[in-house]
Amino acid sequence: RVIIFMALSNYEIMRNQMRRKFIKYDQIMMIQKYSLKNDSEYLYLDFVLRHYRINRKNGVVEWSDDCFKNCIEADYNESMTIYDILYYAKNTSDLSGNYCSLNMLKGTVTSSAPGSNMFQSAADYFNGKVKELEAVCQLMGEKVDLSGDVAIKLYPFSFLPVIIQYWEADNEFPANLKFMFDENILKYMHYETIFFMIGHLINRIQEIIKSCYGME
């Protein structure tokens, strides 16, 4: 019998390191802070229209679409976002109601902000799918009075809104995708975690469009 050991990726290594850290944190505080459903084995949390559970003994994050009869282990972006928001957030009633782009968040350095084309591949994917994009986004929130072919306040977590704005391509400009965040979001998660959350959010929107509308 031949046993093949697969090397872990750097992402898997970092995720597994966070698991070990996570189980050392105060879970009672997490439960109280977010009114989490829980039992002796798991903490439960919804994230981008999907149910998750976090094992209280080993920190493994899983999601399920059938009330946890069948479970799939969460990937890097999902796990890291959930770990961070559960243990890092200082105060769950600290949203300002004022929204800004990533490079305008309090405590960030403008010159270190990501390029304007960071979401270009996603923007190109949504081109020609405005109705579908809007329908999926409305499952997570409501329209807002801002510019764009799509402008919706989403709730990746029930307690943390994000505004998405989208413009289709025209003869002069390529498609454009933009996100706006509450200016106090860094009280909920680290700056780097915002990218994990948005990466997962984009993937989930694309996934739902593909499954519901058959659009590749």
Side-chain angles (χ1 to χ4, degrees):
R1 187 176 62 174
V2 177
I3 300 175
I4 299 175
F5 295 95
M6 299 296 289
L8 294 177
S9 70
N10 288 336
Y11 290 110
E12 290 172 316
I13 291 171
M14 287 188 286
R15 182 193 62 186
N16 294 350
Q17 288 174 342
M18 279 305 303
R19 286 177 183 168
R20 293 189 288 272
K21 289 183 180 180
F22 181 82
I23 59 177
K24 297 177 182 179
Y25 292 116
D26 186 345
Q27 295 180 11
I28 299 301
M29 179 193 69
M30 298 175 193
I31 292 168
Q32 294 174 343
K33 184 165 54 179
Y34 292 117
S35 300
L36 299 179
K37 293 181 180 179
N38 66 92
D39 54 36
S40 60
E41 294 185 79
Y42 298 99
L43 305 179
Y44 299 91
L45 180 71
D46 289 348
F47 179 33
V48 194
L49 299 177
R50 183 167 272 165
H51 303 304
Y52 289 80
R53 68 184 187 185
I54 306 95
N55 190 298
R56 300 183 70 168
K57 295 182 180 178
N58 62 25
V60 172
V61 179
E62 300 172 310
W63 61 265
S64 174
D65 289 330
D66 59 5
C67 299
F68 298 103
K69 294 177 183 176
N70 298 284
C71 297
I72 295 176
E73 188 172 346
D75 67 17
Y76 180 81
N77 283 348
E78 297 165 283
S79 298
M80 296 298 277
T81 304
I82 288 172
Y83 290 144
D84 200 33
I85 201 154
L86 286 182
Y87 84 81
Y88 177 72
K90 304 298 190 299
N91 188 325
T92 58
S93 60
D94 228 355
L95 294 175
S96 70
N98 299 318
Y99 293 85
C100 60
S101 59
L102 271 172
N103 62 318
M104 296 301 292
L105 290 174
K106 295 178 180 178
T108 60
V109 179
T110 302
S111 60
S112 66
S116 59
N117 64 344
M118 178 183 176
F119 305 118
Q120 194 57 54
S121 62
D124 292 339
Y125 171 82
F126 294 131
N127 203 44
K129 304 180 181 74
V130 167
K131 290 182 180 179
E132 292 78 12
L133 173 61
E134 184 171 65
V136 173
C137 287
Q138 283 193 285
L139 295 174
M140 287 179 269
E142 64 275 340
K143 291 184 179 181
V144 291
D145 187 20
L146 292 172
S147 61
D149 295 308
V150 175
I152 294 178
K153 183 188 291 184
L154 311 175
Y155 290 85
F157 296 100
S158 61
F159 47 82
L160 190 64
V162 174
I163 291 176
I164 183 173
Q165 291 174 271
Y166 181 72
W167 294 262
E168 275 205 299
D170 58 26
N171 293 332
E172 297 183 42
F173 299 101
N176 185 22
L177 177 63
K178 178 181 178 182
F179 291 95
M180 302 277 281
F181 306 90
D182 189 280
E183 63 182 9
N184 287 342
I185 192 173
L186 295 182
K187 294 184 178 182
Y188 285 75
M189 61 177 65
H190 290 88
Y191 182 78
E192 295 79 7
T193 305
I194 296 174
F195 296 95
F196 304 151
M197 179 178 71
I198 294 302
H200 177 60
L201 176 61
I202 290 172
N203 287 341
R204 280 288 287 144
I205 293 173
Q206 292 176 334
E207 180 183 277
I208 295 170
I209 287 176
K210 291 174 182 177
S211 64
C212 291
Y213 301 99
M215 305 177 79
E216 292 299 327

